[in-house]
Amino acid sequence: MPDREPPTSPGAARPVTPVGIAAALLCSVEERLHDVPDLDEGIRADLRRAVQLIDGLEGYVEACTSSASDPLTALQRRTADADWRERTNRAGLHLEQEMLSGHVEGRLLAMLVGLTRARNVLEIGMFTGYSSLAMAEALTDGGRVVACELDPATAAFARECFDASPAGHRIQVEIGAAATTLARLAADGQRFDLVFIDADKSGYAGYLAAVLGSGDGSDGLLADGGLVCVDNTLLQGQPWTLDSGTASVDGLAIAEFNAAVASDPRVEQVLLPLRDGLTLLRRT
């Protein structure tokens, strides 16, 4: 959920992933070159091929991924239909529909819940609850998702969607600053088999520290053998395409976070080029 200017109107989501942004740029170049006389036909053909490859990728991946449940589809539609233009959370961050995890990432998170046989899941940064509900649907009876959300109005929006789902009762929403919630959960001795981090990017390092704990991890929130998933770790391509003078605050935070994780001997990790980047890591 990177920092952005507020959207100008509701409707179709704008491109915010590296692939989506690249596709929009290529389409723009192709359109501007359409009427250029004497342009080498080989260049025109190569550009058309590049547009086809990039512009069609995310849609093809979605089409080849198992369908979402009716409650998830309804939640995504309701989020897209809402007018977020004047809405900010308690931290002053503009809210918009692009903050939704979406179909493919939701299916991957649900699959990871199933593969790890997770029973206790922690989400740091819920928004309207798509990923929370996707993971809750994959839990067996008795499993739970503890979802942290800063903004009460957004949490209320999500709860209405959860109430319409058979799996919604598995989600426990914690409203308030995530750092405060994590400290309380740790003090209570709670442990989680899978943790999904998707909140303010400048807070990622602190959230991961709370999850992993210090030393042997006995004071952390991650259960033995647990998995951590961190969203937006490619952040619109900023970590590798923009320098410190042009990258956003979030872009710089993600670049620093990625570098810290890569050099942390406590964990092993893989960064997946899914949507806006998803890093999977576990304690070594």
Side-chain angles (χ1 to χ4, degrees):
M1 294 182 291
D3 55 343
R4 310 184 186 98
E5 293 300 315
T8 57
S9 63
R14 62 188 179 85
V16 292
T17 67
V19 169
I21 293 169
L25 290 171
L26 283 172
C27 288
S28 176
V29 170
E30 184 182 39
E31 182 178 347
R32 282 179 284 160
L33 293 179
H34 183 268
D35 295 324
V36 173
D38 303 322
L39 182 66
D40 183 275
E41 287 304 315
I43 293 176
R44 208 181 290 277
D46 286 349
L47 179 58
R48 174 91 294 265
R49 178 62 172 155
V51 168
Q52 290 175 333
L53 285 169
I54 300 300
D55 193 35
L57 177 59
E58 290 187 334
Y60 185 75
V61 170
E62 286 211 14
C64 293
T65 297
S66 297
S67 299
S69 67
D70 289 342
L72 281 172
T73 301
L75 189 158
Q76 183 163 9
R77 185 181 301 113
R78 187 178 176 204
T79 302
D81 289 344
D83 188 349
W84 300 97
R85 286 175 293 178
E86 304 301 326
R87 298 182 65 169
T88 59
N89 66 15
R90 285 189 168 179
L93 178 69
H94 288 285
L95 302 176
E96 54 182 327
Q97 64 168 299
E98 289 85 357
M99 292 177 171
L100 194 86
S101 296
H103 173 211
V104 176
E105 189 167 1
R107 291 300 303 182
L108 176 61
L109 290 170
M111 184 170 288
L112 290 173
V113 168
L115 289 172
T116 60
R117 299 182 180 179
R119 289 185 58 79
N120 293 296
V121 174
L122 173 64
E123 179 172 46
I124 306 171
M126 180 181 71
F127 188 45
T128 59
Y130 190 96
S131 48
S132 297
L133 186 55
M135 292 186 289
E137 289 181 346
L139 289 170
T140 57
D141 290 340
R144 62 164 183 160
V145 175
V146 176
C148 304
E149 173 53 45
L150 177 66
D151 188 61
T154 307
F157 184 106
R159 276 186 171 130
E160 291 178 1
C161 298
F162 298 158
D163 288 345
S165 167
H169 69 281
R170 297 173 181 161
I171 304 170
Q172 172 187 327
V173 180
E174 296 284 348
I175 301 173
T180 302
T181 301
L182 299 184
R184 174 169 51 80
L185 293 173
D188 290 343
Q190 299 201 37
R191 297 293 181 267
F192 297 89
D193 307 305
L194 188 146
V195 178
F196 180 44
I197 302 176
D198 184 19
D200 57 297
K201 309 315 164 194
S202 60
Y204 270 23
Y207 299 144
L208 183 60
V211 169
L212 294 178
S214 58
D216 61 1
S218 59
D219 56 342
L221 290 161
L222 189 66
D224 290 343
L227 178 68
V228 182
C229 308
V230 187
D231 202 15
N232 300 117
T233 47
L234 293 181
L235 202 88
Q236 303 174 17
Q238 290 188 37
W240 72 95
T241 63
L242 301 179
D243 60 32
S244 60
T246 55
S248 69
V249 172
D250 281 354
L252 293 174
I254 288 297
E256 292 173 1
F257 174 81
N258 288 343
V261 168
S263 62
D264 191 337
R266 298 174 301 167
V267 298
E268 59 178 356
Q269 71 286 333
V270 57
L271 200 168
L272 304 177
L274 171 70
R275 198 170 178 263
D276 202 25
L278 183 70
T279 295
L280 308 182
L281 62 90
R282 62 181 182 179
R283 192 184 291 112
T284 54

